[in-house]
Amino acid sequence: MQADILATPASLVLPAPGSMRGSHQELLQHWTPSQPRHYKRRAVRQQCRAVKRSDTSGAKQDLPSCHWAHQAAQASKQAAAACLATIQLASLPLVLDNVSPPAASALLNSPNAQIPRSVDAALRRSIPAFNKDVKDMQARLEDVAFKLRIPQRKPWQGMADNVAASLVLAQQQDKMLAEVPQDKRKEAGQYLKAVQDGLKKVQGAIDLKDSDRTSIRTSDVLRNVAELELLQAPNLSFIPPKSYSSLPQLKGRGVVELIIEKPDGASAYVVNEGGGPQPQAHLTLVLEGYSAPVTAGNFASNVLQRLYIGKTLTVDYTGILVGKGTVSGKQIPLEILPLGDFEPIYGSPLNVQAGELPVLPMSIYGAVAMAHAADADEGFAAADEFFIYKYDRASSGLAGLSFDEGTFGVFGYITKGAELIPQLTSGDVVVSAELVSGQNRLANAPITAA
């Protein structure tokens, strides 16, 4: 297109001044060089209109001056187009250096899309890949979930292809159930059957181009895929540094149940299930040892030692802090697993501005992390004080990430009772903290009284 624009002025041939004859030359004799050039063009246009108004015969007349005016107007337009094309070509290297990706590509490659935005997604993506076929199926379904976030024209065909390929994989039972212990194969088979049925429902929703149903059904399938992967992940996919081998380490998942009450025993907590105000707030916390074994193991050890029983909450608009000063002076290393890495980074925060993002992001409501250690550098965390983060996107950066992202080692999320978090206030008391699952995965567990 630009080549055509540049070629147009070269093909233009203007009439020579001596070729103007008759009334054309007589008209122009009224113009003098001291007058602006647009007077000349105006005189020609006026003469043309006058001739047309006086022509009542309807016969076609040869008006040299009008032809000249038309050619001059065309020349002006072509010259302007040539100038614009020249400017565009002159700036072409700069444009190519800063070319923007298509809207869909920009969305799917932004930090807002790369980082998990929900508790389920964060916990699901942190499971190590012991079965490459199941992980491939998960990646395809994660891609469907990403593409559903495109605001306008969604790539339905691409999503349909991903689901079809996932269904082919899901029907290969031997491959899907590989790495599952023999005593867990029956349970794994049930999850696989749910995946197969769910994928067919996703196909139906895509055929209808129903975004809401596709999103819900894809999430349901991914939840069953995650359960299948957990049965195939008996241990960590890396070995923590030897310098931390004496610390408690949670080599997998764990679950902690927290019960919190008001200091006066008032019924002030309202749950989603209804039933009126309750005297206790029940929170379920999933510990993610696959990505943060040292930090999650430290917390599980604290729970087993009943360090948080009777501790009061300190609440502000950013989070809920518990356990400050429980273990005086004890510290643990900051532990964060970056996206795309095989093992966590110890003793150093992530450089989020440079593109480093954590597998377990803080930018999710209900993220749980250990607080910074007092009188220590940013490479250490407190061994006792933890907090529940009240993520607020309105108070976050342009990419939707918390300003503190990458500076705290997240080790779990509140998976049940999140609606109670904003109801907790300073002075509320932890009356119970129990490790209900995962103790068999806890290495270097403390010796507790029976």
Side-chain angles (χ1 to χ4, degrees):
M1 182 178 68
Q2 292 173 338
D4 295 340
I5 294 175
L6 291 176
T8 304
S11 63
L12 176 66
V13 179
L14 295 176
S19 65
M20 304 178 194
R21 302 184 304 274
S23 59
H24 180 206
Q25 293 178 344
E26 294 173 1
L27 174 66
L28 296 181
Q29 68 184 359
H30 298 291
W31 176 80
T32 61
S34 62
Q35 295 174 309
R37 289 185 177 273
H38 69 272
Y39 280 23
K40 178 180 178 179
R41 295 193 296 270
R42 184 184 301 171
V44 172
R45 290 196 299 269
Q46 290 176 348
Q47 176 66 13
C48 290
R49 288 195 293 268
V51 171
K52 290 180 179 179
R53 284 196 300 268
S54 62
D55 181 20
T56 57
S57 62
K60 183 177 181 181
Q61 297 188 20
D62 183 18
L63 302 174
S65 62
C66 294
H67 294 329
W68 179 86
H70 177 71
Q71 288 178 327
Q74 290 296 322
S76 298
K77 293 180 180 179
Q78 293 166 350
C83 291
L84 179 60
T86 302
I87 293 173
Q88 291 175 338
L89 288 177
S91 62
L92 187 58
L94 179 62
V95 173
L96 290 177
D97 289 342
N98 298 279
V99 64
S100 297
S105 176
L107 173 67
L108 298 183
N109 287 285
S110 69
N112 208 24
Q114 291 182 37
I115 200 166
R117 307 307 304 182
S118 69
V119 170
D120 285 345
L123 293 174
R124 182 173 64 242
R125 297 183 200 177
S126 69
I127 304 171
F130 285 93
N131 185 314
K132 65 180 183 63
D133 295 302
V134 176
K135 187 58 68 173
D136 179 38
M137 178 172 62
Q138 179 190 346
R140 291 179 179 277
L141 293 173
E142 297 281 7
D143 186 60
V144 172
F146 281 170
K147 289 177 178 177
L148 283 169
R149 295 164 64 177
I150 298 175
Q152 296 179 353
R153 299 184 61 183
K154 302 186 186 299
W156 292 107
Q157 186 58 50
M159 289 189 279
D161 293 342
N162 275 330
V163 174
S166 298
L167 186 56
V168 171
L169 286 172
Q171 291 172 341
Q172 301 177 39
Q173 182 168 332
D174 291 341
K175 289 185 176 182
M176 291 292 101
L177 299 185
E179 309 298 334
V180 176
Q182 191 62 37
D183 60 334
K184 301 289 186 181
R185 290 186 70 87
K186 182 178 180 181
E187 182 182 1
Q190 294 173 346
Y191 286 126
L192 181 59
K193 180 63 166 60
V195 168
Q196 295 169 348
D197 295 341
L199 286 172
K200 295 175 183 178
K201 293 180 180 179
V202 174
Q203 282 183 324
I206 290 177
D207 290 341
L208 296 174
K209 293 182 171 56
D210 189 326
S211 300
D212 292 338
R213 289 185 182 181
T214 303
S215 178
I216 294 172
R217 293 175 181 179
T218 301
S219 296
D220 290 341
V221 174
L222 281 169
R223 193 172 296 111
N224 286 306
V225 169
E227 294 294 340
L228 178 59
E229 288 180 315
L230 285 174
L231 296 178
Q232 298 169 330
N235 209 324
L236 302 181
S237 59
F238 60 90
I239 300 176
K242 290 184 179 179
S243 56
Y244 307 132
S245 60
S246 62
L247 298 177
Q249 297 178 10
L250 182 63
K251 300 183 177 182
R253 287 273 171 88
V255 178
V256 170
E257 296 286 350
L258 296 174
I259 301 178
I260 301 171
E261 294 181 355
K262 294 294 180 182
D264 59 358
S267 297
Y269 303 111
V270 179
V271 296
N272 287 339
E273 290 80 4
Q278 306 292 323
Q280 295 181 330
H282 292 255
L283 304 180
T284 300
L285 165 58
V286 172
L287 308 181
E288 185 46 86
Y290 288 120
S291 298
V294 174
T295 312
N298 172 78
F299 183 83
S301 175
N302 289 347
V303 170
L304 289 176
Q305 297 179 73
R306 303 176 62 84
L307 295 185
Y308 300 118
I309 304 299
K311 297 299 179 182
T312 59
L313 278 56
T314 302
V315 180
D316 62 15
Y317 69 97
T318 61
I320 302 166
L321 290 86
V322 186
K324 183 175 182 180
T326 302
V327 183
S328 179
K330 185 179 178 181
Q331 301 173 358
I332 59 173
L334 180 66
E335 179 184 43
I336 304 177
L337 176 62
L339 279 172
D341 283 14
F342 294 101
E343 58 185 12
I345 294 175
Y346 291 90
S348 176
L350 299 185
N351 188 350
V352 174
Q353 292 183 346
E356 290 184 330
L357 298 172
V359 170
L360 299 177
M362 187 174 172
S363 303
I364 295 177
Y365 195 84
V368 183
M370 302 305 293
H372 285 158
D375 302 324
D377 62 31
E378 59 185 6
F380 291 89
D384 53 356
E385 184 180 13
F386 74 96
F387 66 93
I388 302 171
Y389 187 58
K390 298 193 288 188
Y391 168 71
D392 182 7
R393 184 164 185 168
S395 302
S396 302
L398 294 178
L401 301 180
S402 167
F403 290 109
D404 292 320
E405 190 68 78
T407 62
F408 290 93
V410 175
F411 64 87
Y413 297 95
I414 299 297
T415 59
K416 186 177 180 182
E419 74 275 10
L420 297 170
I421 294 176
Q423 302 177 41
L424 300 175
T425 59
S426 293
D428 290 1
V429 182
V430 178
V431 297
S432 176
E434 182 181 357
L435 182 66
V436 297
S437 70
Q439 188 168 353
N440 60 325
R441 294 175 176 265
L442 182 60
N444 303 323
I447 299 176
T448 59

